[in-house]
Amino acid sequence: MEMQTVKFYQTGTFTVGNRLLAEDERSVQANMHRTNSLNSGHRACQGCGEALGARYAIDAAMRSTSGELIAVNATGCLEVFSTPYPETSWKIPWIHSLFGNAAAVASGVAAAMRVRGRSAVRVVAQGGDGGTTDIGFGCLSGMFERNDDVLYICYDNEAYMNTGVQRSSATPPAARTATTPALGREPGNVFGTGKNVPLIAMAHSIPYVATASVANLRDLERKVAKAMTISGARYVHIHVPCPLGWGSLPADTIKVARLAVESGLFPLFEAEHGEITGRTPIRRKVPVTDYLRLQKRFAHLFNVADEPRIARIQAIADRNIAKFGLLETPAHG
Amino acid sequence: MDKPFAITLDVGSSLANKTGSWRTSRPVYVDRLPPCNHACPAGENIQSWLYHAEAGDYEAAWRVLTLDNPLPAIMGRVCYHPCETACNRGKLDESVGINSVERFLGDEALKLAWRFEPPVRDSGKRVLVVGAGPSGLAAAYHLRLLGHAVTIIEAGPLAGGMMRFGIPKYRLPRDVLDAEIQRILDLGIELQLNRKVSNILDTMHSGAFDAAFLAVGAHIAKRAYIPAGSTARMLDAISVLRGMEGEDKPLLGRRVVVYGGGNTALDVARTAKRLGASDAIIVYRRTREKMPAHDFEVEEALQEGVLIKWLSTIRNMADEGTLTVEKMRLDDQGFPQPTGEFETLETDSLVLALGQDVDLSLLDDVPDLVIEHGVVQVASNMMTGHAGIFAGGDMVPSERTVTVAVGHGKKAARHIDAWLRGGRYAPPPAHKLAAFESLNAWYYADAPKTTQPVLDLARRASTFDEVVRGLDESTALFEARRCLSCGNCFECDNCYGVCPDNAVIKLGPGKRFEFNYDYCKGCGICVAECPCGAIEMIPETI
Amino acid sequence: MLKQIEGSRAVAEAIARCRPEVICAYPITPQTHIVEGLGEMVKSGELANCEFINVESEFAALSVAIGASAAGARAYTATASQGLLFMAEAVYNAAGLGLPIVMTIGNRAIGAPINIWNDHSDSMSMRDAGWIQLYAATNQEALDLHIQAFRLAEELSCPVMVCMDGFILTHAYERVDVPAQDDVDAFLPSFEPRQVLDPAEPVSMGAMVGPEAFTEVRYLAHHKQLRALELIPKLSAAFQARFGRSSGSLVKPYRTEDAETIVVALGSVNGTIQEVVDEMRDAGVKIGSLAICSFRPFPLEQVRDALRHAKRVVVIEKCLAVGLGGIVSDGVRNALSGIVLRGYTVIAGLGGRAITRAALRQLFRDAGNDVLEQLTFLDLDEGLIQYELEREAQARRSGPTAEAILRRVGTVASQVA
Ligand SMILES: Cc1ncc(C[n+]2csc(CCOP(=O)(O)OP(=O)(O)O)c2C)c(N)n1
Ligand code: SF4
Ligand SMILES: [Mg+2]
């Protein structure tokens, strides 16, 4: 009888854990003794994707470095909800300096570790999309170009959330924000040219760039772990839904993130030294409307059945799918 | 460290901030009833034994399975597995091959000679079981485990009932049957063969039994009036199948016609083929869609060369073996109606497979019984109108399958036990059904069903070797792991992982999880992302 | 060791002897030679165990220093003018976090109009950022102050700016005594951070603080400066004890004993002032001067003590508080609260305008005669102003002022790109 490769529902697949796998093959988040780097008691909104993404990423980095990790945080929701005096949710050495300088501060920490002979201690910088793609972009690019030994993680919730949901350069077309209201003939954000920071990071030829999503924990952890095996500048861009800013249900945070991936709007890929080396294929392709409909920030597209602009968004997804080959199955399973 | 005031903080201090107070509704863990369990006539806890099988702990799986059903190797062969029809995985790709895993476990148990644990304490009560078919054996097993002394009285020469005299060997090898029966008897159950109970009250009285469970089965073949010549060879299916168990196999000839559309008709036709018939023809009044026999059996029979004449009734049989067959048509209600078109069919013998009746003579003198349509009426606790006499299997109103019979045996045993203690058995409250909609199917990887290897046709035509073979370990494991664990936590760690507030406490292997309501903000992500629908959101009360 | 070197080089050598571990460099005149010198020393291996990082902006320069310092490394950077403004946010932040970074400011004017020459507008703009600000009067003092600055910064956990006049000091070749490494090592112990990012003892630095504690945090920042008032003279004395020369301290009175007129100033202009004081003293004028070395913390008491017996005070300022007058004067006035004397503010040396002895002599004479305006612009070309004001009054679209003036003055400066 022909044998099938044993690929069953609980193993090597999509759930957080798997009681059938050896302990060290399970995800970091499945571990009873995971760091919980970002601890309970933080003040993120219910269902905050950024809080989740941050714990996923930092716990993974903590495992990879055996706890020898220092984090630098840009101003933003993550910083504000985690460290309001007199309480901090962080369990790791952590510093917040400014909105736009996380990458540079991290470079400084890394330099200090190097010069003080503590190269085993690794450095993570993290910020929101605003702190990364906009105001912190100069420092980020500088850190990349110098190839400083820093992993920069961007938690992309597609707007300036901490200040009340204003548009950033990562805000998608048509999305309603406080500064791109759903008013007038072209409600919501403009259809600009976009600013794909992962691709810009690749243009720096840094050793490692990856996109990840809170909807795919194992993929995310693998990428962070991979990043931690590499020295030099690394960039991981994580898609983290924000129920408050997107007008989605708190319970739907992961679902929304998943649909972003499955529609092709948020492609998952990785690159080394400027070349794409991997993509996570779409498992069950969905139309962008499945994703858009769950979010009030896109409600105006449906209130008036704005087919042309929905089609333009679909075209963006289709372009991503073609560009990154998201429907091809990977060479090895 | 000399920390500057306010700007530099001690790590982890946010634990002082109990964000649980933000919550308006709270998640709670629930167990829901998996549709397979729900559909199992024997009340097997399928999801639960698959859970152990998934981990490769087959003995644990077998032990959980046999809490409800002592005959897994048999069941894995003859059960029509309504569980698989109900299985939620069917909505994803194909239902889990529950039956084949059950068989694997049953076979594994026989191979490794796993035994049942005998009861630790005897109750001092004596229970009589009449009939050693599936229902009687199951009842005896459960009653014994509950500590009662059990005696089975069986009219036939061997235990097994319809499992032996109604199901051909190629579907149920006798060594399997014998071994599973013996394992039950090994619990210390007395079996008296070749003894027919003619008066139940006398037998109970003389044996000082406190209660009785009757499961005598339905062994009297139903007849249809077919005018026939005196030398026409007309037999009934039950005698043919029973004859297969004896020394002298029935003589059916080279051309055999079987009349009927149930599984028994198919069994006889296939048996005839194996006995050397060149033609085995089933004559059935209606169409394939209307046929009560299971589709897979029809398929296997057709593969083996059995012919089926649809929409046909037999009008008479002449001496030399010429059958007159009338073509039928289905009316608007789907009932067959004569067309007046006739044809003839040559045959050496005609086997009637039109169903069976129950021999109720042992109840003749029992007062307060209700008998309707030839079967004994029982209350919801399986007790007949006469206190202390319970009944089950084919002799009570229900579907007549081995699995249903086994289920009756278990159910009756629980009620008899309660009755003997002067109480009533109250089954635990049923959980809400784990509907497909309550699952988050995203988390299950695609994994189509494994098919069981099938004996090649050449051998099937001539031997009584088992047609459907078992799974080997790896395929059984694969199959077990396809289970979605509907409605029951399988410790996938999703809730533990996806909580943005680390408000899920992982208790360790086998211990599942707990919510930490001090920090749970009630976002509901855990509920949405639980693959098997084992978490529910309930409003917070203040 | 005595060396005849450029001021920037002198500072670089002093910094190198302080064993910095992370140096962030970004070019801007007139500070550039300092980091160039350090870069050379790191590259050649002369300055070992030091990361020299070429960053992409001053904002990054100080941010990298912040990270390095928080992670326990002795961090240094230098900037001037536009660069200081570009890093402004980080300047406040470093102080707020209490990170003992030392930064040299090669004092330079701020545009527009863009101007590369010296005045104090840049460092004055950051006077309330929470840093300690020390102003060097000479290249030797600039060199010495950097050595004291590290110790001061690290003892207090507070960043220190050493301000030295652009070109006048940074580009001047003078003889300086460069101390021996052993002596610096003895004076400046290795960096023991008050708080540090370390996985062995994790803390969260840079928390968000609300109204419930913000005032206290700010008060503590102020308190730190008050402690600096005590520490600075002590360190200066300790420095003198080891190196045999007096450098730094809070204020430096010069011939103020019986002075009726006292001139107050910051930085290199004190040299010229003292020369004029000497001349006038020789002519029998009771005049003295007071160099303020520590502008933040502002030594109210010491200034008061030095000035209280004078009849008048002339404050020479290299920075204009537009719409008000002088910034240093404000502090002086504050120090003299309750004491009645005449006070004059003189705005001088803006954008590199030379402050000549002649001009000062005239100025002090006028002051002595109390014929000075309260606010005086030294060497202001009244005619030019008159002309420009009239021109502007004539037409709404009168064009840019700076260019118009340059055209009229026909100065070589117009050829500076
Ligand atoms: C220099 C500066 N400009 C503006 C702000 C105000 N600000 C603080 S957080 C924030 C938004 C952060 O957005 P993003 O980086 O996307 O993170 P998010 O809050 O969305 O996670 C803004 C605009 C600031 N703190 N500093
Ligand atoms: S606003 Fe959005 S990103 Fe910020 S805490 Fe709330 S959910 Fe998270
Ligand atoms: Mg954002």
Side-chain angles (χ1 to χ4, degrees):
Chain A
M1 204 182 85
E2 205 194 318
M3 290 299 290
Q4 263 171 307
T5 42
V6 177
K7 178 186 105 189
F8 34 84
Y9 81 90
Q10 289 186 336
T11 306
T13 53
F14 309 103
T15 53
V16 166
N18 182 341
R19 67 189 174 99
L20 303 177
L21 281 179
E23 195 74 42
D24 61 340
E25 289 171 38
R26 299 186 201 172
S27 73
V28 176
Q29 288 305 312
N31 195 301
M32 283 177 79
H33 309 291
R34 70 183 187 210
T35 323
N36 281 339
S37 314
L38 180 66
N39 212 359
S40 307
H42 62 71
R43 291 153 199 257
C45 307
Q46 292 175 324
C48 173
E50 188 167 78
L52 189 57
R55 195 192 70 227
Y56 280 180
I58 302 299
D59 278 3
M62 282 291 278
R63 169 145 99 180
S64 299
T65 57
S66 308
E68 297 281 282
L69 191 73
I70 294 175
V72 177
N73 214 125
T75 313
C77 269
L78 178 59
E79 166 262 327
V80 168
F81 71 60
S82 66
T83 55
Y85 163 82
E87 291 148 7
T88 171
S89 305
W90 294 100
K91 289 166 81 176
I92 59 169
W94 177 97
I95 182 170
H96 160 243
S97 172
L98 294 168
F99 190 19
N101 71 354
V105 174
S107 290
V109 176
M113 290 302 125
R114 209 160 45 233
V115 76
R116 296 179 68 219
R118 297 195 59 187
S119 304
V121 178
R122 307 297 298 280
V123 185
V124 171
Q126 48 185 358
D129 49 294
T132 305
T133 72
D134 285 343
I135 200 168
F137 189 68
C139 288
L140 182 69
S141 175
M143 185 275 278
F144 285 165
E145 169 275 321
R146 290 186 303 270
N147 201 21
D148 289 335
D149 189 23
V150 171
L151 166 61
Y152 191 102
I153 301 173
C154 170
Y155 302 106
D156 182 3
N157 53 21
E158 302 185 341
Y160 293 101
M161 294 312 175
N162 185 51
T163 37
V165 197
Q166 294 83 15
R167 175 203 186 274
S168 80
S169 60
T171 301
R176 180 204 68 194
T177 68
T179 49
T180 55
L183 297 173
R185 274 188 298 126
E186 296 213 324
N189 193 23
V190 292
F191 280 71
T193 53
K195 181 173 181 180
N196 190 319
V197 173
L199 293 183
I200 299 172
M202 283 166 61
H204 291 74
S205 289
I206 57 173
Y208 189 69
V209 174
T211 59
S213 164
V214 280
N216 194 336
L217 169 70
R218 284 156 180 271
D219 185 67
L220 185 159
E221 286 190 351
R222 184 182 61 72
K223 285 167 174 169
V224 172
K226 169 116 191 237
M228 296 318 286
T229 64
I230 297 169
S231 44
R234 292 141 291 144
Y235 181 72
V236 175
H237 189 103
I238 305 177
H239 200 226
V240 290
C242 163
L244 185 90
W246 297 11
S248 51
L249 292 176
D252 280 347
T253 292
I254 290 181
K255 181 177 178 185
V256 168
R258 184 154 55 230
L259 291 172
V261 172
E262 295 297 288
S263 64
L265 282 175
F266 192 85
L268 296 181
F269 61 93
E270 56 193 318
E272 290 174 48
H273 302 288
E275 301 297 329
I276 291 195
T277 53
R279 66 270 296 155
T280 308
I282 288 174
R283 223 175 127 214
R284 308 197 208 291
K285 185 174 182 285
V286 296
V288 292
T289 44
D290 282 17
Y291 168 68
L292 303 174
R293 268 184 205 287
L294 294 179
Q295 307 170 51
K296 291 211 192 77
R297 63 177 172 155
F298 294 113
H300 54 90
L301 289 176
F302 299 99
N303 293 344
V304 295
D306 190 346
E307 301 299 343
R309 293 206 307 157
I310 291 174
R312 286 182 76 180
I313 298 173
Q314 184 62 54
I316 294 171
D318 293 343
R319 223 168 23 246
N320 283 341
I321 290 171
K323 175 171 181 158
F324 295 101
L326 298 175
L327 287 178
E328 297 152 25
T329 38
H332 47 89
Chain B
M1 202 180 293
D2 168 28
K3 295 178 217 42
F5 171 69
I7 305 171
T8 300
L9 303 173
D10 286 316
V11 293
S13 41
S14 65
L15 289 179
N17 184 32
K18 302 277 166 66
T19 51
S21 61
W22 304 11
R23 201 173 50 235
T24 54
S25 52
R26 63 166 56 197
V28 289
Y29 289 106
V30 292
D31 281 300
R32 291 185 210 258
L33 179 61
C36 52
N37 295 17
H38 183 59
C40 178
E44 284 184 27
N45 210 340
I46 295 164
Q47 175 275 323
S48 164
W49 57 255
L50 281 173
Y51 178 84
H52 295 290
E54 283 156 22
D57 189 349
Y58 303 123
E59 181 164 354
W62 180 80
R63 296 217 173 267
V64 172
L65 197 173
T66 53
L67 288 178
D68 296 298
N69 186 337
L71 304 168
I74 296 171
M75 216 51 56
R77 288 171 167 82
V78 307
C79 178
Y80 297 119
H81 41 73
C83 52
E84 294 189 21
T85 313
C87 172
N88 274 333
R89 177 129 210 162
K91 300 200 181 66
L92 212 56
D93 36 40
E94 290 168 90
S95 56
V96 175
I98 299 167
N99 190 242
S100 54
V101 180
E102 179 169 29
R103 170 168 167 181
F104 170 78
L105 293 176
D107 288 354
E108 199 72 359
L110 294 178
K111 195 167 84 193
L112 301 174
W114 295 333
R115 322 290 306 161
F116 298 131
E117 290 298 329
V120 282
R121 217 174 292 117
D122 278 325
S123 66
K125 303 281 187 193
R126 291 171 53 74
V127 183
L128 170 64
V129 173
V130 184
S135 203
L137 287 166
Y141 163 80
H142 288 288
L143 286 163
R144 182 68 200 115
L145 289 186
L146 290 163
H148 308 302
V150 183
T151 300
I152 308 175
I153 299 180
E154 164 61 46
L158 290 164
M162 271 301 180
M163 297 187 292
R164 188 181 300 277
F165 299 112
I167 297 174
K169 283 183 181 142
Y170 60 83
R171 281 183 54 209
L172 177 55
R174 298 309 183 232
D175 53 337
V176 171
L177 176 63
D178 293 340
E180 290 214 316
I181 293 173
Q182 192 54 47
R183 192 172 49 206
I184 294 173
L185 299 178
D186 289 348
L187 279 170
I189 292 166
E190 185 192 356
L191 171 66
Q192 302 176 9
L193 292 169
N194 296 311
R195 180 178 164 200
K196 189 165 178 340
V197 174
S198 49
N199 183 313
I200 181 64
L201 294 176
D202 288 354
T203 310
M204 283 179 74
H205 184 74
S206 63
F209 290 106
D210 301 293
F213 177 64
L214 311 183
V216 297
H219 295 281
I220 306 172
K222 281 195 174 130
R223 312 285 303 196
Y225 178 69
I226 296 174
S230 56
T231 59
R233 188 164 168 68
M234 193 152 36
L235 308 90
D236 70 74
I238 285 302
S239 352
V240 170
L241 292 176
R242 188 177 299 135
M244 292 302 297
E245 296 304 302
E247 285 297 299
D248 304 316
K249 306 292 180 236
L251 296 172
L252 296 174
R254 294 193 54 73
R255 291 174 61 86
V256 180
V257 170
V258 182
Y259 194 25
N263 291 318
T264 314
L266 290 165
D267 286 343
V268 171
R270 295 174 71 187
T271 299
K273 268 283 188 190
R274 283 170 173 75
L275 286 174
S278 57
D279 293 341
I281 304 166
I282 291 173
V283 175
Y284 176 52
R285 296 185 302 153
R286 297 196 273 188
T287 57
R288 177 158 180 180
E289 295 72 54
K290 301 275 177 193
M291 200 181 204
H294 288 102
D295 214 46
F296 75 91
E297 288 213 55
V298 176
E299 205 48 57
E300 284 175 15
L302 290 173
Q303 282 169 11
E304 289 166 18
V306 170
L307 301 173
I308 306 179
K309 283 192 85 66
W310 307 106
L311 288 166
S312 305
T313 50
I314 298 175
R315 287 297 170 216
N316 62 56
M317 188 181 188
D319 272 351
E320 58 282 10
T322 305
L323 294 173
T324 305
V325 173
E326 182 174 4
K327 289 271 11 105
M328 309 295 279
R329 60 169 185 85
L330 292 187
D331 66 14
D332 296 346
Q333 270 86 53
F335 289 113
Q337 300 296 345
T339 58
E341 269 178 62
F342 295 93
E343 59 178 315
T344 55
L345 207 57
E346 297 301 322
T347 184
D348 295 326
S349 52
L350 170 64
V351 184
L352 303 180
L354 302 171
Q356 294 98 252
D357 287 323
V358 184
D359 178 359
L360 292 171
S361 58
L362 81 167
L363 295 172
D364 283 350
D365 295 332
V366 182
D368 307 325
L369 287 185
V370 183
I371 294 172
E372 265 169 33
H373 309 297
V375 288
V376 186
Q377 302 301 303
V378 288
S380 63
N381 65 351
M382 308 298 289
M383 191 155 82
T384 65
H386 189 95
I389 299 183
F390 296 73
D394 289 356
M395 68 182 291
V396 303
S398 78
E399 200 193 339
R400 290 177 173 174
T401 71
V402 175
T403 322
V404 168
V406 165
H408 284 179
K410 174 178 93 170
K411 188 172 170 194
R414 298 203 170 142
H415 286 292
I416 292 168
D417 176 66
W419 185 82
L420 288 172
R421 294 168 201 282
R424 262 196 94 81
Y425 171 71
H431 294 298
K432 267 196 278 181
L433 195 66
F436 185 73
E437 296 63 46
S438 67
L439 309 182
N440 187 336
W442 169 262
Y443 288 101
Y444 302 110
D446 313 293
K449 189 173 187 162
T450 47
T451 42
Q452 288 165 293
V454 175
L455 192 67
D456 54 277
L457 277 174
R459 287 188 62 199
R460 274 155 70 179
S462 55
T463 72
F464 282 86
D465 288 354
E466 193 169 16
V467 170
V468 180
R469 298 306 183 90
L471 300 178
D472 63 18
E473 211 238 91
S474 70
T475 46
L477 190 65
F478 175 85
E479 207 45 43
R481 287 175 176 184
R482 294 182 61 244
C483 169
L484 309 182
S485 192
C486 307
N488 288 268
C489 174
F490 60 97
E491 296 182 36
C492 74
D493 295 321
N494 258 18
C495 52
Y496 178 62
V498 301
C499 176
D501 295 286
N502 316 346
V504 175
I505 301 166
K506 179 170 174 168
L507 299 173
K511 301 190 193 130
R512 297 189 171 183
F513 307 86
E514 232 170 48
F515 287 110
N516 185 344
Y517 294 114
D518 277 354
Y519 301 106
C520 166
K521 293 171 185 163
C523 69
I525 295 183
C526 54
V527 178
E529 301 305 320
C530 175
C532 64
I535 312 176
E536 209 172 58
M537 215 66 191
I538 57 167
E540 215 39 88
T541 48
I542 312 156
Chain C
M1 197 209 307
L2 291 178
K3 291 185 178 181
Q4 182 76 24
I5 45 177
E6 195 194 33
S8 293
R9 178 75 202 182
V11 168
E13 297 207 359
I15 296 295
R17 278 163 184 66
C18 294
R19 302 186 188 278
E21 293 169 299
V22 175
I23 294 172
C24 311
Y26 193 83
I28 185 166
T29 308
Q31 144 285 156
T32 314
H33 289 181
I34 303 173
V35 287
E36 284 174 359
L38 285 163
E40 217 175 273
M41 288 183 242
V42 172
K43 252 298 197 236
S44 69
E46 187 186 335
L47 172 51
N49 209 32
C50 178
E51 294 280 331
F52 184 87
I53 302 176
N54 286 293
V55 291
E56 72 285 354
S57 73
E58 288 86 356
F59 179 62
L62 189 53
S63 297
V64 170
I66 286 171
S69 181
R74 184 171 285 164
Y76 170 80
T77 188
T79 191
S81 181
Q82 316 298 133
L84 183 62
L85 295 199
F86 199 77
M87 65 165 67
E89 202 194 357
V91 172
Y92 274 75
N93 187 253
L97 292 172
L99 299 173
I101 297 163
V102 170
M103 173 160 70
T104 308
I105 307 297
N107 283 115
R108 167 180 154 182
I110 290 173
I114 190 160
N115 174 299
I116 64 166
W117 310 103
N118 168 248
D119 70 28
H120 291 170
S121 307
D122 50 6
S123 54
M124 282 294 158
S125 74
M126 291 295 128
R127 66 188 181 275
D128 297 325
W131 289 54
I132 288 169
Q133 283 193 341
L134 307 177
Y135 285 77
T138 64
N139 280 359
Q140 184 68 59
E141 188 168 47
L143 185 160
D144 295 345
L145 279 180
H146 280 93
I147 298 169
Q148 295 181 35
F150 277 108
R151 188 159 157 199
L152 179 63
E154 289 167 14
E155 281 196 23
L156 290 171
S157 264
C158 181
V160 178
M161 264 180 226
V162 179
C163 306
M164 63 191 289
D165 287 312
F167 293 105
I168 300 167
L169 296 183
T170 56
H171 287 58
Y173 277 74
E174 275 175 24
R175 200 182 62 179
V176 288
D177 186 354
V178 181
Q181 183 66 60
D182 289 350
D183 283 330
V184 176
D185 286 345
F187 180 78
L188 178 64
S190 62
F191 179 29
E192 274 293 335
R194 169 173 179 181
Q195 50 169 350
V196 63
L197 294 168
D198 187 350
E201 198 188 343
V203 288
S204 298
M205 290 170 61
M208 186 174 86
V209 178
E212 70 281 9
F214 199 78
T215 305
E216 287 69 24
V217 168
R218 297 310 294 157
Y219 173 78
L220 289 170
H222 178 64
H223 188 261
K224 200 178 262 187
Q225 297 257 340
L226 298 183
R227 280 169 53 209
L229 282 177
E230 289 163 23
L231 193 55
I232 290 167
K234 282 189 197 148
L235 287 184
S236 173
F239 187 88
Q240 183 161 21
R242 172 155 300 273
F243 298 94
R245 59 181 174 270
S246 159
S247 273
S249 202
L250 298 169
V251 294
K252 283 226 179 68
Y254 185 73
R255 303 184 81 169
T256 52
E257 319 79 58
D258 57 344
E260 292 173 354
T261 305
I262 299 180
V263 184
V264 178
L266 274 57
S268 63
V269 73
N270 276 297
T272 323
I273 292 169
Q274 283 168 14
E275 284 172 28
V276 178
V277 164
D278 287 344
E279 283 174 27
M280 292 179 73
R281 275 277 179 187
D282 291 349
V285 183
K286 289 186 171 173
I287 189 169
S289 72
L290 182 74
I292 296 181
C293 179
S294 167
F295 185 65
R296 283 291 182 275
F298 191 82
L300 287 172
E301 221 177 286
Q302 288 73 8
V303 170
R304 185 183 176 88
D305 282 351
L307 302 181
R308 63 187 310 154
H309 301 297
K311 293 205 174 112
R312 64 189 70 78
V313 174
V314 181
V315 183
I316 311 272
E317 310 238 21
K318 282 196 176 182
C319 172
L320 171 64
V322 184
L324 171 67
I327 296 167
V328 183
S329 307
D330 253 15
V332 170
R333 210 164 282 132
N334 195 348
L336 294 174
S337 158
I339 297 173
V340 185
L341 45 65
R342 289 183 197 277
Y344 302 101
T345 297
V346 180
I347 307 298
L350 294 189
R353 167 85 45 105
I355 303 176
T356 62
R357 263 193 286 175
L360 287 181
R361 215 178 291 122
Q362 184 58 45
L363 182 78
F364 299 161
R365 219 175 277 135
D366 290 350
N369 297 331
D370 291 324
V371 294
L372 267 187
E373 299 276 331
Q374 241 212 327
L375 177 62
T376 306
F377 288 77
L378 192 68
D379 282 349
L380 185 69
D381 185 338
E382 307 276 0
L384 192 56
I385 295 294
Q386 200 59 37
Y387 169 82
E388 181 59 16
L389 290 177
E390 279 166 17
R391 193 184 69 81
E392 279 180 22
Q394 276 161 17
R396 172 87 196 115
R397 289 204 163 192
S398 52
T401 306
E403 282 73 0
I405 290 178
L406 281 183
R407 242 176 280 122
R408 180 150 172 89
V409 205
T411 162
V412 284
S414 62
Q415 280 129 42
V416 177

